[in-house]
Amino acid sequence: MKTCIATVSISGTLSEKLEAISAAGFDGIEIFEQDFITDSGSARDVGKRIRDQGLSIDLFQPFRDFEGLPGALRAKAIDRAERKFDLMQELGAELMLVCSSVHPKALGGIERAAEDLRALGERAAARGLRIGYEALAWGRFVNDHRDAWEIVRRADHPNLGIILDSFHTLGRNLDPTSIRQIPGDRIFFVQMADAPRIDMDLLYWSRHFRNMPGEGDLPVTDFLRAVLAAGYTGPVSLEIFNDQFRGGSPRTIARDGYRSLVTLLDDVRRAEPEVRADLPVIPPRQRLEGTAFVEFATRGAEGDTLRSQLTALGFVETGRHLAKAITLWQQGDIRIVLNEEEGDFAGSAFNMHGTSVCDIGISVASSAETLARATALGATGFAQSPAVGQLDIPAIRGLGGGLLHFLDERHASVWRDEFGVDRSGPRGAGLVSVDHIAQTMTYDEMLSWSLFYSSLLGMSKAPMVDVIDPDGLVRSQALAAPDGAFRVTLNGAETHRTVAGSFLASSFGAPVQHIAFATEDMFATARAFAAAGFEALPIPGNYYHDLAARFDIAPAELARMQRHNILYDEDETGTFRQLYSRPAAGGLFFEIVERTGGYSGYGAPNSPFRIAAQKRLAPPKGLPRD
């Protein structure tokens, strides 16, 4: 299966785009005419440069406003097409995209359009070229792939076919099932794009908010299933218009594009295995079984502070690594690793970020297959020489340069072999598991990391929510395994003035801002914390007056919640309690949660109150932090 991407999808100069597209693993490109025009090289030079990158030119686009023009305008359109044919032959491009007309003087009529495109197909055939006709969702007369196909069918020329674009079909809520009736050899090219569901003008939506398959809300898998079931055997390409991507890193965007396309093809192969024998075969998403460990890079006085925090949370040091300066802290099924080794990855992470989460271990059904899938999707593997007696566990680079290790049943002995521990932790304060891990990034990185988790681990996305900070806006999106065994929240900061943005700035991009631990009895945990000297984030009385107005909470329970600074939320399925630690230096903090019933959220209505409370403890604006 040949994979392509339109050059318009990638930021940068044409040379930067080509280098990024090639490095990501694509086979070919759609060359967007503007990218060629702005380059200083001749068409022959540009074509050679593309091929030198190991890429083919599978589509030249766009050619606009051709069919249905009267008189002199029609003659001029044919002249334009001949000039573009000259250019294509110099470039080495064989197929041109003709999109349905939006010209104000164009005339409607399927027969008229078919006649014009038949004539253009004849001219293309004389040059050894082909024409693909695409229905723009906002086309003046043709805005439906079914009408475009009828025009191509009536034109009946071997050098004329249809080009299908998922956005133009799905953006208009058209059922892609009808595509299955189009002969596969008459489909000349296929373009894929996703988008968030937004009620706005189609043209504006398309030009500014398209994103990679899997990053939006459109049923792109159903679309491609229909295309391949029709018998299409050509390339599958990405055509993305997105303001955010226009300012992003070319290599990051290209890598995400390739990851999204391989994931999409894999999803189609699994949903409809008979459609194409040449679809990529990669391991399936593995079942997630929980958080195996969370590892902190720390050292010296900062390490002492972290140990004090963990002790106040009820954790106990249960083991020391047989060969390294690493300790294991446990409570219930939670494992926290404190790595003070100076010569390995944790040492470099500490030098960069200070005390921070440098590694997350995820329990999966098969670590080998998870690593193989990650590699196939373009993830960067990680390895360092293991110490004596240390297991070699598969790992990749994750957010912010941190690590993700994948553990399965073959690694069950790691704690006994390396730390001399072969049991769960003590009950402590009643914390039983890691509920979720909150990762902070710039807003521009959110789509990339959402795609990473959903494509690699099969985590489902909750709708993105806006979290109000007194000094700005933070976008937040939660992803979770189907049974909630592993959860992450992605928080995108747009300014360093927010709590999330301040954490990013002060930690030089550390990936994890807080960890949420689960308890089955919040009040018992809060009492144990108080006895151990835990300092909760103070929540003002106004919050609890508001709770009394919004929810039917018994006065005695509300008083207990206020006494322990516990926040509360509920929905039709269950209830949710939250308790936060005070932020440590740099902004890292801990959260304790209790879920009852089927509550699967994260207490989003409480976020503004938590953020305001954290800001009250921060130094006054303009003063340096300690």
Side-chain angles (χ1 to χ4, degrees):
M1 164 60 73
K2 193 171 189 180
T3 58
C4 300
I5 187 170
T7 55
V8 72
S9 308
I10 306 294
S11 62
T13 65
L14 180 58
S15 292
E16 291 170 333
K17 292 171 188 249
L18 296 176
E19 290 170 2
I21 291 168
S22 177
F26 286 96
D27 302 306
I29 64 165
E30 306 173 34
I31 187 163
F32 200 70
E33 187 175 36
Q34 182 172 314
D35 286 318
F36 165 73
I37 294 172
T38 57
D39 193 85
S40 60
S42 67
R44 190 175 298 272
D45 290 339
V46 168
K48 181 178 184 302
R49 200 187 319 160
I50 293 168
R51 287 182 285 277
D52 286 346
Q53 289 285 350
L55 300 168
S56 57
I57 305 175
D58 292 275
L59 185 69
F60 175 84
Q61 68 125 326
F63 189 73
R64 304 185 188 280
D65 295 333
F66 176 76
E67 81 280 11
L69 294 174
L73 288 175
R74 185 178 189 275
K76 178 60 178 175
I78 291 174
D79 179 64
R80 281 194 298 119
E82 290 285 4
R83 291 175 183 270
K84 299 307 176 188
F85 291 161
D86 292 339
L87 175 59
M88 290 171 63
Q89 290 182 313
E90 289 290 302
L91 281 168
E94 179 262 344
L95 176 63
M96 181 168 76
L97 181 150
V98 177
C99 47
S100 60
S101 182
V102 296
H103 197 287
K105 294 187 178 180
L107 304 173
I110 286 180
E111 285 295 346
R112 180 182 290 107
E115 181 181 341
D116 287 346
L117 288 167
R118 185 185 308 113
L120 188 61
E122 191 65 25
R123 288 173 177 268
R127 304 282 201 107
L129 304 175
R130 295 185 303 152
I131 301 299
Y133 183 57
E134 175 186 72
L136 293 177
W138 51 89
R140 186 172 183 202
F141 297 107
V142 178
N143 54 28
D144 187 317
H145 67 260
R146 293 168 294 188
D147 292 333
W149 164 237
E150 180 60 19
I151 289 169
V152 169
R153 189 188 69 80
R154 294 193 190 191
D156 192 23
H157 195 284
N159 288 61
L160 173 69
I162 187 171
I163 291 179
L164 297 169
D165 183 313
S166 62
F167 182 86
H168 294 309
T169 294
L170 303 177
R172 296 190 68 242
N173 293 315
L174 301 177
D175 186 350
T177 302
S178 59
I179 293 172
R180 293 173 181 259
Q181 307 308 313
I182 301 174
D185 63 347
R186 308 308 301 150
I187 303 173
F188 278 8
F189 203 76
V190 171
Q191 298 170 317
M192 300 300 304
D194 206 338
R197 277 288 179 193
I198 307 174
D199 186 14
M200 63 167 55
D201 174 75
L202 273 170
L203 176 57
Y204 193 84
W205 185 25
S206 173
R207 287 290 179 262
H208 299 277
F209 293 98
R210 291 194 191 201
N211 49 32
M212 304 300 180
E215 292 181 339
D217 303 317
L218 303 182
V220 291
T221 302
D222 293 344
F223 177 89
L224 190 56
R225 285 180 64 183
V227 168
L228 298 187
Y232 175 68
T233 59
V236 176
S237 186
L238 298 174
E239 187 191 41
I240 312 295
F241 302 91
N242 187 293
D243 293 346
Q244 182 177 320
F245 295 173
R246 289 185 177 100
S249 160
R251 283 187 174 257
T252 298
I253 299 165
R255 180 201 64 199
D256 286 350
Y258 185 76
R259 174 177 291 150
S260 74
L261 200 49
V262 173
T263 301
L264 175 63
L265 293 170
D266 180 58
D267 289 343
V268 170
R269 180 178 67 84
R270 295 179 188 284
E272 199 148 345
E274 66 277 9
V275 294
R276 286 279 292 268
D278 62 339
L279 293 182
V281 177
I282 62 176
R285 298 173 176 90
Q286 296 296 298
R287 184 180 71 256
L288 299 178
E289 298 176 349
T291 304
F293 67 86
V294 177
E295 180 173 329
F296 285 85
T298 192
R299 200 178 302 159
E302 293 188 17
D304 292 338
T305 299
L306 181 55
R307 279 185 281 272
S308 296
Q309 288 178 305
L310 292 176
T311 300
L313 289 169
F315 285 90
V316 174
E317 180 184 315
T318 57
R320 292 178 175 266
H321 195 276
L322 59 86
K324 291 189 171 185
I326 305 174
T327 55
L328 174 64
W329 292 67
Q330 291 181 269
Q331 181 174 184
D333 289 332
I334 308 167
R335 295 185 184 94
I336 303 294
V337 176
L338 303 191
N339 192 330
E340 299 180 79
E341 191 73 19
E342 297 186 17
D344 63 6
F345 175 79
S348 61
F350 178 81
N351 292 336
M352 171 65 74
H353 306 295
T355 293
S356 57
V357 173
C358 65
D359 195 350
I360 299 169
I362 305 174
S363 296
V364 295
S366 170
S367 60
E369 293 211 346
T370 303
L371 181 63
R373 181 177 179 89
T375 302
L377 296 178
T380 302
F382 172 82
Q384 64 181 7
S385 298
V388 176
Q390 191 172 24
L391 291 182
D392 188 9
I393 301 172
I396 61 172
R397 296 275 185 173
L399 179 64
L403 302 181
L404 291 176
H405 273 86
F406 304 119
L407 294 81
D408 59 24
E409 61 181 9
R410 291 171 296 178
H411 306 110
S413 66
V414 62
W415 310 109
R416 181 188 66 241
D417 294 346
E418 296 188 20
F419 294 90
V421 175
D422 195 14
R423 62 185 185 280
S424 297
R427 175 171 174 76
L431 306 185
V432 294
S433 62
V434 174
D435 184 86
H436 65 274
I437 296 171
Q439 299 187 304
T440 299
M441 63 215 66
T442 64
Y443 173 64
D444 290 346
E445 295 178 293
M446 283 192 70
L447 283 177
S448 178
W449 286 102
S450 173
L451 175 65
F452 173 86
Y453 283 113
S454 62
S455 63
L456 172 60
L457 301 174
M459 301 173 72
S460 58
K461 299 179 294 185
M464 192 174 293
V465 297
D466 293 340
V467 177
I468 306 301
D469 183 294
D471 292 301
L473 187 70
V474 175
R475 305 285 173 82
S476 184
Q477 184 166 53
L479 295 97
D483 61 356
F486 182 73
R487 299 183 179 97
V488 295
T489 58
L490 307 179
N491 301 301
E494 295 183 318
T495 170
H496 70 279
R497 291 167 56 83
T498 61
V499 166
S502 176
F503 171 77
L504 276 182
S506 62
S507 67
F508 295 95
V512 175
Q513 187 171 12
H514 83 264
I515 303 167
F517 300 118
T519 179
E520 295 173 345
D521 187 336
M522 180 64 82
F523 292 113
T525 293
R527 289 193 298 270
F529 282 177
F534 172 81
E535 291 188 288
L537 181 70
I539 305 299
N542 292 337
Y543 171 80
Y544 297 96
H545 293 313
D546 182 63
L547 275 189
R550 291 192 294 127
F551 300 113
D552 294 326
I553 303 174
E557 181 176 353
L558 190 65
R560 283 200 298 166
M561 291 169 59
Q562 183 171 359
R563 184 164 62 253
H564 292 293
N565 295 287
I566 295 169
L567 295 90
Y568 179 86
D569 188 35
E570 68 178 52
D571 60 18
E572 64 278 4
T573 65
T575 64
F576 189 64
R577 293 183 175 88
Q578 298 168 279
L579 173 62
Y580 289 97
S581 74
R582 298 183 182 222
L588 181 74
F589 61 95
F590 297 99
E591 176 186 5
I592 315 302
V593 305
E594 179 193 2
R595 300 175 183 273
T596 66
Y599 188 99
S600 59
Y602 299 82
N606 292 325
S607 295
F609 313 122
R610 181 262 300 172
I611 291 170
Q614 289 173 324
K615 292 228 165 186
R616 281 191 292 274
L617 298 179
K621 294 176 183 178
L623 294 182
R625 293 178 178 270
D626 293 337

